Structures are given as structure tokens and as C-alpha cells.
Amino acid sequence: KAGVTQTPRYLIKTRGQQVTLSCSPISGHRSVSWYQQTPGQGLQFLFEYFSETQRNKGNFPGRFSGRQFSNSRSEMNVSTLELGDSALYLCASSLTGDYGYTFGSGTRLTVV
Amino acid sequence: QKEVEQNSGPLSVPEGAIASLNCTYSDRGSQSFFWYRQYSGKSPELIMSIYSNGDKEDGRFTAQLNKASQYVSLLIRDSQPSDSATYLCAGGQYSGGGADGLTFGKGTHLIIQP
């Protein structure tokens, strides 16, 4: 059974650019979450999606956005990148959200 | 603001001993609690979930939940060097239409000394 797939694995972007990260959940999973992980702040919640609907959003600026498609695949977008956006971005999926989430390997974003 | 607090450690435990990891949470609406293990450079891996008060055992791992005290713990029996990792505690809410995302603690760094 395939796990959660995130692409790309690594990204280097310049300040002011925008970036789109992709996540394919485990087959059959309808809940997808996104998290930002940094050494200082740990894992911080970004978005929660269930059946194409955004159920919740974390305390991040409007430059961070996301969506979920009918096949449960999800994307997140960060516009006008700042140096502080450098982080590991993790996607996780769950059957319905009330069970544990399985994490992907993450996308390491570096903003220079 | 929902918060999950953990002692950052490092927590050093001799091989074969019991490792005890704790966390507290602020949101009384949280219904589900999880322990994740994260090795350096890897993504978090789910090791235990607990939803009701009491103990839940799975192999060498026991999770404990006390909703009145807003306290969650993880016991690792017969600790092995391979258990050395950062352990993340997380809590969340859910309804019939999905969940609201997990709130994570910053993790406890566990070191098992051979």
C-alpha cells in the first residue's frame, strides 16, 4: 500500500517568488492536513481538508493557501516568499480525521 | 489558543529501563491524542493513539490519558537504543465531517543509553 507522497522533496526559491507543494494521500483517505516544521517552533498546523472542504486553518498569513481535489490530492501554495518561510512542510492523511494521521516525507523549502 | 506542552529534554534512560514521557494540553475539547516518534531527518511516525481515559497498551508501549487533569503520557518498557528519537504528543478534535487538525507539542528528545 503506497504511503503519503509529497513532491517535490526539495525546493530552493528566491524571496518574493511563489511555490506550490503537492500531496497525494493514502488511497481511500479523505482527510489531509498540512504542517510546517521548524527547529524553533516545532510542528505547526497549517490546513485541514476533508472531502474538498477546508475545515480549519492555522494561524498563518494569507500568503499561505491550499486546496483539495476530488481525488483527495492536495496542494498548498505560498506566495511572496519570505526568508522565514524556510521550513520542512509536511502533509499527512487519515481516513476521516478521527484516527491517526500518516505523514509523508515532506518538502524541504529553502528561501534565499 | 490550543497548546500542548512537553518537556523538551533530553531525557536520558538506561537500556532496558522504562522511559516515561508526559504532556499536558490546554483545550478541553480535544478528543483524540496521539504519540508520534520522529528520528532525525525523518517525518513523524504514529506509534500510539488514545481516545478515552485510562491506559492503552501496544507491545512495549503504553499510553495513558487523564482528561480531568488534561494529561497524556507514554511509557516505553524495556527501552532499546533504537527508541532514541524525539517523541511528539498531539491532540485534536473531530466530528462526523472530519477533523480540525492536530496541535503538536514541541517534542521530548529521548536518549537510550546502552
Side-chain angles (χ1 to χ4, degrees), chain A residues 48-69:
Chain A
E48 174 76 19
Y49 290 94
F50 180 78
S51 294
E52 300 181 69
T53 300
Q54 185 179 94
R55 278 190 53 90
N56 201 8
K57 181 178 179 181
N59 188 24
F60 279 83
R63 302 184 295 106
F64 291 80
S65 62
R67 57 180 176 170
Q68 186 182 31
F69 302 96

Side-chain angles (χ1 to χ4, degrees), chain B residues 18-95:
Chain B
I18 296 176
S20 178
L21 305 163
N22 308 307
C23 87
T24 59
Y25 61 94
S26 64
D27 180 19
R28 285 195 173 274
S30 293
Q31 301 158 294
S32 52
F33 299 90
F34 307 95
W35 283 98
Y36 283 84
R37 176 176 63 198
Q38 187 172 28
Y39 293 114
S40 180
K42 300 293 187 182
S43 58
E45 172 193 10
L46 178 66
I47 54 172
M48 288 291 289
S49 59
I50 188 165
Y51 304 93
S52 52
N53 282 329
D55 296 358
K56 179 182 177 183
E57 186 174 321
D58 184 0
R60 296 187 297 112
F61 299 97
T62 298
Q64 299 173 316
L65 173 60
N66 184 324
K67 290 188 177 181
S69 301
Q70 295 177 250
Y71 177 86
V72 191
S73 67
L74 178 71
L75 300 177
I76 306 175
R77 290 181 299 281
D78 189 23
S79 296
Q80 303 297 310
S82 59
D83 295 327
S84 298
T86 296
Y87 288 79
L88 301 165
C89 174
Q93 291 186 353
Y94 61 89
S95 65

